[in-house]
Amino acid sequence: MDVAGLFLAGAGAGLLAGGTTCAATQLGLLTGAVGGAAGAGSGAAETRPVRQVSVFLAAKLASHAALGALLGLVGGAVQPGPRVRGTLLAAAAAVLALFALDLLGFRPVRRLLRRDGAHSSESESESEPGPGPGPGDGEEGCHPPRAGRSRRPVLLGAATVLVPCGLTLSAELLAVTSRSVVGGAVVMAAFVLGTAPLFGLIGVTVGRAMALLRGRLTALLAVALLAVSGWTLLSGLRLGGWLPSGGGATAAADSARFVRTDASGTQVVTIWALNQGYRPALLTARARVHTVLVLRTQHTSGHMRVFTIPSRDKDVYLPATGETRVDLGAPGPGRMPFMCASGHFPGAVTFR
């Protein structure tokens, strides 16, 4: 595929589906980037979210283009496995919870983010009489943004490369197959550009809402962020294989229909990976028998095109429509969880 084709493929994937999946995965980082607007004055509140989101997206574009160039140069050897992605998702959940507690005014978190000192100095300056603002002085002139706050969108935007969604992984695979520094950089940069409209809209909306509410409905937003944090943490724990393996009864009819033995004595387990989840999601198979997993897709897109087995730290990339066979060897008794690349749709095969 030439450079123009790679650009169109990356931009199309980002524009049509990548924005929603990436926004769900990286919402915590985006919220943290625009969080500084909540303390801005009314004039700054109109422009600061736009500026912060622009910086965030520019840093995201640069980091993804650099990763694409690296993938095009050295191939899939630098792609993080499920456990690494699970750790990064758990870290993203912690960041999201941190900013939610900051919105609630939790003092230890505000001290960690160095907000208490800034708030106290602003309160003291408001209580002490002094000359009025001079010509050209505005609220930003009286209280210029601190360096830490101005660097935050850059750092968090660049950090998005460490928390990829399922469709980002598909773009990374395309960068690997390009076998070109330029091609890899182009496809990843185009993917970010495709997601930019939705990311920009969400970022500016959240930033302005945080600035305008200023404590009135902040608790509601913080609770919503904590809920997303819990959801992200659960996905990360699933990806890392750190959740308890129990639960979920399997249907005997599903096992009889989707588990069979071929003429050679090989046990064949068939699972459909669809956009709505796995069909079936729970199966029972025989242990200590040579087993082949058959993964079928039909117009499947996004994170469902990456089948993840945390216990084996393995990702299997699936075609949009087709069949992929995975040799599992002869699994011992136990439960083998599986899920999509983002950890949102889980399932399991229980070997007995």
Side-chain angles (χ1 to χ4, degrees):
M1 190 180 296
D2 59 14
V3 172
L6 289 170
F7 180 87
L8 292 175
L15 182 63
L16 297 177
T20 53
T21 58
C22 288
T25 304
Q26 300 166 0
L27 179 62
L29 299 175
L30 180 60
T31 303
V34 300
S42 58
E46 293 296 323
T47 58
R48 182 173 290 178
V50 176
R51 183 168 64 249
Q52 289 174 321
V53 171
S54 299
V55 173
F56 176 89
L57 290 176
K60 180 181 179 181
L61 177 65
S63 64
H64 279 71
L67 175 63
L70 184 61
L71 290 174
L73 178 66
V74 302
V78 298
Q79 289 183 298
R83 289 174 185 165
V84 174
R85 295 202 314 278
T87 301
L88 294 173
L89 275 179
V95 170
L96 183 52
L98 197 67
F99 289 119
L101 293 173
D102 177 40
L103 287 176
L104 291 173
F106 192 56
R107 286 192 174 275
V109 173
R110 293 187 71 84
R111 283 197 294 269
L112 178 65
L113 298 178
R114 299 180 182 179
R115 290 193 187 273
D116 270 354
H119 179 73
S120 300
S121 62
E122 289 176 7
S123 299
E124 291 172 5
S125 63
E126 288 174 1
S127 61
E128 293 178 3
D137 287 345
E139 194 151 346
E140 295 234 7
C142 296
H143 305 291
R146 292 179 298 155
R149 181 174 296 175
S150 62
R151 287 196 300 267
R152 183 189 301 174
V154 176
L155 297 176
L156 294 179
T160 56
V161 76
L162 301 176
V163 192
C165 68
L167 212 59
T168 305
L169 293 174
S170 299
E172 290 176 3
L173 180 62
L174 192 56
V176 169
T177 57
S178 73
R179 299 186 180 277
S180 161
V181 173
V182 174
V186 165
V187 71
M188 292 302 294
F191 178 78
V192 173
L193 290 175
T195 65
L198 183 58
F199 254 87
L201 179 62
I202 294 174
V204 171
T205 301
V206 170
R208 287 184 174 173
M210 292 171 67
L212 292 174
L213 294 177
R214 301 185 70 183
R216 282 168 282 184
L217 295 177
T218 302
L220 183 61
L221 177 60
V223 170
L225 292 179
L226 284 174
V228 176
S229 172
W231 178 60
T232 303
L233 177 61
L234 185 63
S235 299
L237 293 176
R238 282 199 194 112
L239 273 177
W242 302 311
L243 285 179
S245 59
T250 61
D254 283 343
S255 297
R257 180 181 175 188
F258 293 96
V259 180
R260 62 181 178 85
T261 302
D262 65 12
S264 66
T266 297
Q267 181 174 233
V268 180
V269 179
T270 302
I271 297 174
W272 285 85
L274 306 173
N275 290 331
Q276 299 79 21
Y278 295 105
R279 301 291 184 273
L282 298 173
L283 286 167
T284 300
R286 290 179 298 152
R288 299 190 179 94
V289 174
H290 180 242
T291 302
V292 171
L293 184 63
V294 177
L295 303 171
R296 291 178 177 170
T297 52
Q298 186 174 23
H299 307 298
T300 303
S301 61
H303 49 173
M304 292 300 297
R305 287 186 58 189
V306 182
F307 185 88
T308 299
I309 308 175
S311 60
R312 301 188 176 210
D313 201 27
K314 183 179 183 64
D315 286 324
V316 180
Y317 293 87
L318 309 176
T321 299
E323 180 178 295
T324 303
R325 300 173 70 88
V326 181
D327 193 330
L328 298 178
R335 188 177 174 89
M336 186 190 79
F338 58 83
M339 63 212 61
C340 64
S342 57
H344 297 159
F345 290 99
V349 178
T350 301
F351 292 96
R352 293 174 180 168

